[in-house]
Amino acid sequence: MTDKNEVAEVTGDGKQLKPPLTAKERRQIFLRYAFLPESAMSYEKMHGATWAWTYLPLAEKYYKDDLEAMRRLLVRHSVFYNTEPQTGQLVNGIVCSLEEKIGQGEPISEDVPMSVKASLMGPLAGIGDSIVQGILIPTLLSIAMGLAVGGNALGPLFYIVAYGAIMAAVTIICFNSGYRLGTKAIDAIIGESAKRITNMFNVLGTIVIGGLAATTIALKTPISVPFGEEVKPLQDILDGFFPGLLPLLMVLFAWWLISSKRMTATKTLVILAVVTTVGVLLGLFG
């Protein structure tokens, strides 16, 4: 039985187009970018090399007899590109739809897919990073850490399975939506809409991080101080007017090290470990 996707299309003016991509070929393009977006990372190209490799199935389908056209396809997709990989599948779907039409012979400029990539990688990076790194990962980690108390293996297993399942669903939905909508999806991603969405998720991510800092960072002081005619624990006084003040100060200290001092996460963790160790030894923390 002939796959209906292999039947050539006919335009309104009677011109016969090459067959569209089959479901298998679209799946190959999806999986290549899904698993290896950062396999050949460099500061010069970022995801560029992976994009070129991703579109080899399309190149072999439409340009196996036109090596110059194949060369242009691979060269234009080898340029610098960088965005959040999971939500970035939306761009991959849109570009796949455009490159399919170009390969079929429709009058679409070869510059259009590149303009789409350049226009969308910034907004999608902001939206994707806000959702994935600012909300999803901290939330799943907080649940996993709660389950892992006492050495329970369910904690890390929960995180691995939950993160994998959610990200798989996100990438599939983004790619299929991008492929189905084509350039129509651009209107909802760029401009003021993208800024509002990004700001919304940034605020929500800040709230989530604040909540996690207050509930998961265990930092208290055993110091007692004079309080009128009594001597009261300093921690009780702090909790009376600002619960979670010490964890907040530690978070702000880490943020200051990373943002103002430009320190790496590893150096920041080492400094925090030293500060807390010295604090415990001196009796400041307990």
Side-chain angles (χ1 to χ4, degrees):
M1 182 180 294
T2 303
D3 189 332
K4 65 179 181 179
N5 287 328
E6 288 292 350
V7 178
E9 297 179 352
V10 179
T11 62
D13 58 4
K15 180 182 177 181
Q16 190 176 39
L17 299 176
K18 295 179 182 179
L21 293 169
T22 64
K24 179 181 179 180
E25 289 163 342
R26 294 197 303 271
R27 187 163 55 248
Q28 288 178 330
I29 292 172
F30 164 77
L31 290 174
R32 285 178 175 231
Y33 187 75
F35 284 100
L36 300 171
E38 298 177 351
S39 60
M41 285 279 288
S42 69
Y43 284 110
E44 181 183 4
K45 297 292 185 67
M46 301 302 281
H47 297 181
T50 299
W51 267 89
W53 182 70
T54 294
Y55 278 84
L56 279 177
L58 186 144
E60 293 169 356
K61 181 181 181 73
Y62 293 122
Y63 306 125
K64 62 182 179 180
D65 297 324
D66 188 349
L67 296 182
E68 176 58 26
M70 181 183 291
R71 184 193 68 81
R72 293 199 306 272
L73 171 71
L74 300 181
V75 167
R76 66 175 173 264
H77 285 299
S78 297
V79 300
F80 176 90
Y81 179 84
N82 187 37
T83 195
E84 200 283 319
Q86 282 76 40
T87 54
Q89 280 283 11
L90 183 68
V91 181
N92 192 18
I94 296 172
V95 172
C96 179
S97 175
L98 291 171
E99 289 292 359
E100 177 186 48
K101 289 179 172 58
I102 293 173
Q104 286 183 284
E106 292 193 20
I108 298 176
S109 171
E110 294 180 356
D111 293 331
V112 174
M114 306 313 300
S115 298
V116 169
K117 290 170 66 176
S119 299
L120 296 186
M121 67 177 179
L124 270 179
I127 296 172
D129 289 341
S130 299
I131 297 174
V132 177
Q133 299 181 27
I135 300 175
L136 179 63
I137 291 178
T139 302
L140 292 180
L141 282 176
S142 65
I143 297 172
M145 286 187 292
L147 294 173
V149 173
N152 192 339
L154 184 60
L157 289 176
F158 164 81
Y159 178 79
I160 293 171
V161 173
Y163 180 81
I166 293 173
M167 285 296 96
V170 168
T171 56
I172 292 172
I173 292 171
C174 284
F175 180 83
N176 289 336
S177 299
Y179 179 80
R180 184 177 65 256
L181 295 174
T183 54
K184 295 178 182 178
I186 298 176
D187 296 334
I189 302 172
I190 62 177
E192 291 301 319
S193 296
K195 292 180 181 178
R196 287 194 294 268
I197 293 172
T198 302
N199 290 337
M200 177 185 70
F201 283 119
N202 281 335
V203 172
L204 182 57
T206 302
I207 294 173
V208 170
I209 294 297
L212 292 176
T215 57
T216 61
I217 299 178
L219 185 63
K220 296 182 178 180
T221 177
I223 297 175
S224 297
V225 295
F227 192 78
E229 297 180 356
E230 305 178 44
V231 176
K232 296 187 65 174
L234 177 60
Q235 187 64 52
D236 291 346
I237 299 174
L238 295 177
D239 291 340
F241 72 90
F242 201 136
L245 177 59
L246 293 181
L248 174 62
L249 292 176
M250 191 62 75
V251 171
L252 293 176
F253 178 57
W255 172 77
W256 177 73
L257 291 175
I258 293 173
S259 62
S260 297
K261 296 301 181 180
R262 303 297 180 184
M263 291 189 178
T264 63
T266 301
K267 290 181 179 179
T268 301
L269 289 173
V270 171
I271 292 175
L272 293 179
V274 171
V275 170
T276 52
T277 301
V278 172
V280 170
L281 293 175
L282 295 177
L284 300 176
F285 304 136

